[in-house]
Amino acid sequence: CSLQAGLAVLLKAERLFHSSYHSQAVHIRPICRVSVIRATCLFLVQDASCLAMSWELRQTLTVVFDFFSSGQGKKDWSLFKMFSRTLTDTCPLASQSKVYVDISPKNKEKELLEVSPPPTSVHEAIVQGDKKTYAVYDLLSPSLFNTSRSLNVQLKWKRPQDSSEMPIPTLHAQRYVGGYGLQTGEICTLIYNTHPYRAFPVILLETVPWYLRLYVHTLTIITKGKENKPS
């Protein structure tokens, strides 16, 4: 469908590349297609004797918009504000096409935000130990484009937010470059886990600046003041 229909309609280059952050990635991995049928259930197994292999291709685009610091002074947003476009139709080749909006309330006693138009469904999930609520817009649902040929998802705060700081995510990170040149240049990444008792597996993907050269033997990982050997 290219840029004619579906979610890719929103991928307007001049809007994406002027955002606070954007990242594109292509993930390719082999997947074993060995299947074992037991009773009425189908189990997919992976072992060393895999005879049939498939390849999974996954493309991702991550974009961060920051309207508050850009001078608008509001945290309200919409698809049109971010991309200068709205969704007009679904791609006929897509088996599923959905938009998820995180509507988890910061204050559990009062709902502070609302989304429009009303979502086709609501999905709840546990993410890093916290309960999350998502408004789901299914582009394949016939009722979604009945009233209008344009879908502009909007999120608004019902009342002005207080001046208290936003809650810190369970997992968050900071990253900076220190030193200079090839001799003393270094990349430092600080990863925080604020969960009171749960540990999480972490996969770290670094984007190395062109002016730094990294050597694997200089990698050090320090956890709670002690050196930690990565797996």
Side-chain angles (χ1 to χ4, degrees):
C1 289
S2 186
L3 299 179
Q4 305 303 317
L7 297 177
V9 171
L10 302 176
L11 305 184
K12 192 176 181 181
E14 56 264 33
R15 298 293 293 178
L16 298 180
F17 298 145
H18 283 82
S19 59
S20 299
Y21 172 85
H22 68 272
S23 172
Q24 302 176 63
V26 178
H27 307 267
I28 302 176
R29 67 171 182 170
I31 296 180
C32 184
R33 287 188 292 153
V34 174
S35 60
V36 177
I37 298 179
R38 300 172 182 171
T40 59
C41 298
L42 176 65
F43 296 89
L44 299 179
V45 298
Q46 291 184 337
D47 53 28
S49 61
C50 181
L51 301 178
M53 191 75 68
S54 294
W55 292 92
E56 178 189 78
L57 170 64
R58 183 164 58 93
Q59 302 179 78
T60 62
L61 173 64
T62 303
V63 185
V64 176
F65 293 93
D66 191 349
F67 291 115
F68 192 85
S69 63
S70 63
Q72 298 184 20
K74 294 182 179 180
K75 295 183 179 180
D76 300 344
W77 59 263
S78 67
L79 292 182
F80 186 79
K81 281 185 178 180
M82 289 187 291
F83 303 104
S84 296
R85 295 181 178 180
T86 58
L87 294 173
T88 57
D89 202 355
T90 184
C91 179
L93 298 179
S95 59
Q96 60 175 326
S97 185
K98 298 180 179 180
V99 176
Y100 290 82
V101 180
D102 188 352
I103 57 174
S104 305
K106 184 181 71 171
N107 187 339
K108 296 183 178 180
E109 296 180 357
K110 298 180 180 180
E111 295 287 347
L112 295 179
L113 52 85
E114 60 181 358
V115 291
S116 61
T120 53
S121 62
V122 175
H123 175 71
E124 293 185 348
I126 302 297
V127 180
Q128 297 178 357
D130 295 331
K131 184 178 180 180
K132 294 290 185 178
T133 304
Y134 299 94
V136 183
Y137 295 87
D138 188 355
L139 271 63
L140 297 183
S141 176
S143 61
L144 193 60
F145 293 102
N146 278 350
T147 56
S148 174
R149 293 298 301 172
S150 175
L151 175 62
N152 182 28
V153 180
Q154 303 180 63
L155 184 143
K156 295 183 178 181
W157 295 90
K158 293 183 178 180
R159 60 180 175 85
Q161 288 185 278
D162 50 30
S163 58
S164 61
E165 296 182 356
M166 294 295 289
I168 300 177
T170 303
L171 286 180
H172 63 281
Q174 297 178 0
R175 180 176 181 266
Y176 60 90
V177 177
Y180 58 91
L182 297 179
Q183 183 175 358
T184 61
E186 62 181 10
I187 294 180
C188 296
T189 301
L190 307 178
I191 303 176
Y192 300 91
N193 175 15
T194 61
H195 199 279
Y197 58 87
R198 184 176 177 183
F200 299 97
V202 173
I203 299 178
L204 178 63
L205 174 64
E206 284 282 5
T207 303
V208 182
W210 62 269
Y211 50 84
L212 284 182
R213 180 176 297 175
L214 298 188
Y215 299 93
V216 178
H217 73 279
T218 65
L219 172 66
T220 56
I221 299 179
I222 299 176
T223 304
K224 295 182 179 180
K226 297 181 179 180
E227 186 172 356
N228 184 15
K229 298 294 184 180
S231 58

